[in-house]
């Protein structure tokens, strides 16, 4: 965390921001899987935030 060049690696876009608020969670890529107890729906959670960009 002390060396930005090592932290961002091969990223295309980098910015410094402050997280102001968590605004919710969306669930995407929903799919059905079979389990021992029947069919279960799973998805990938994406957490959304309100941020203030401090430096580009």
């Amino acid at each position: 965390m002390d060396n930005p060049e090592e932290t961002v690696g091969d990223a295309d876009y980098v910015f410094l921001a402050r997280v102001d608020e968590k605004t919710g969670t969306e669930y995407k890529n929903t799919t059905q899987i079979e389990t021992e107890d029947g069919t279960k729906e799973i998805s990938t959670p994406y957490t959304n935030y309100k941020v203030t960009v401090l430096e580009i």
Side-chain angles (χ1 to χ4, degrees):
M1 298 303 291
D2 295 327
N3 186 334
E5 288 80 15
E6 289 182 19
T7 303
V8 299
D10 294 326
D12 292 327
Y13 302 101
V14 178
F15 62 93
L16 177 65
R18 177 185 67 235
V19 176
D20 297 321
E21 175 183 357
K22 177 182 170 185
T23 60
T25 304
E26 296 179 52
Y27 295 89
K28 300 180 182 181
N29 306 319
T30 302
T31 190
Q32 299 281 331
I33 62 168
E34 291 186 27
T35 66
E36 292 178 357
D37 299 326
T39 303
K40 180 179 179 180
E41 188 174 271
I42 61 169
S43 57
T44 306
Y46 290 82
T47 306
N48 300 311
Y49 299 93
K50 179 180 177 184
V51 299
T52 300
V53 176
L54 303 174
E55 185 178 329
I56 296 178

